[in-house]
Amino acid sequence: MINPTWKKLSKETDIQYEGCMSVPQIRGRVERYKNIELTYYDENGNKIVRELNGFFARLVQHECDHLEGIVFLEKVKEHSGFATVDNMNKYNLREKNNKL
Ligand SMILES: [Zn+2]
């Protein structure tokens, strides 16, 4: 996936816990658009445009943030929106349908 960009397809968002290999053992609640259009180029220079929803829309927004030097910690709006992995498991904090 080369030079990915995305745009929202609706104003609909949701807030889910996210994690990141750049920030081990910490999760945070981040608001993301639920429906996006992803545009990128493949290894042969072909332009690819795909509509993504839910988990994959969140994943692309998270990864594209990295290309801008942003990690998810900067997008957590509430101090109570952070949790350790241990506490996520201990208190069953995972949101429904979230596999990040
Ligand atoms: Zn990440």
Side-chain angles (χ1 to χ4, degrees):
M1 186 179 298
I2 300 167
N3 291 337
T5 59
W6 63 270
K7 65 180 181 183
K8 66 184 179 207
L9 292 177
S10 74
K11 293 181 178 177
E12 194 175 4
T13 63
D14 70 350
I15 298 175
Q16 301 278 344
Y17 278 102
E18 288 187 16
C20 180
M21 294 177 73
S22 300
V23 190
Q25 301 299 314
I26 299 293
R27 301 293 182 263
R29 288 168 48 84
V30 178
E31 185 174 19
R32 301 279 188 190
Y33 291 105
K34 292 177 76 172
N35 308 297
I36 65 169
E37 181 181 271
L38 168 66
T39 302
Y40 64 96
Y41 295 87
D42 69 14
E43 67 274 17
N44 298 313
N46 299 309
K47 184 178 182 179
I48 310 292
V49 179
R50 295 184 61 190
E51 182 178 330
L52 299 174
N53 305 293
F55 173 82
F56 290 107
R58 174 172 294 275
L59 180 65
V60 163
Q61 290 168 80
H62 176 113
E63 298 303 335
C64 285
D65 276 354
H66 280 301
L67 298 175
E68 304 291 329
I70 298 168
V71 293
F72 76 95
L73 301 174
E74 299 170 57
K75 301 224 166 182
V76 177
K77 292 181 178 172
E78 317 125 357
H79 289 133
S80 61
F82 291 100
T84 62
V85 170
D86 287 345
N87 280 339
M88 294 245 350
N89 294 329
K90 183 176 179 181
Y91 299 108
N92 195 24
L93 297 176
R94 190 170 304 277
E95 312 284 352
K96 280 190 276 184
N97 302 322
N98 182 19
K99 296 184 174 70
L100 275 180

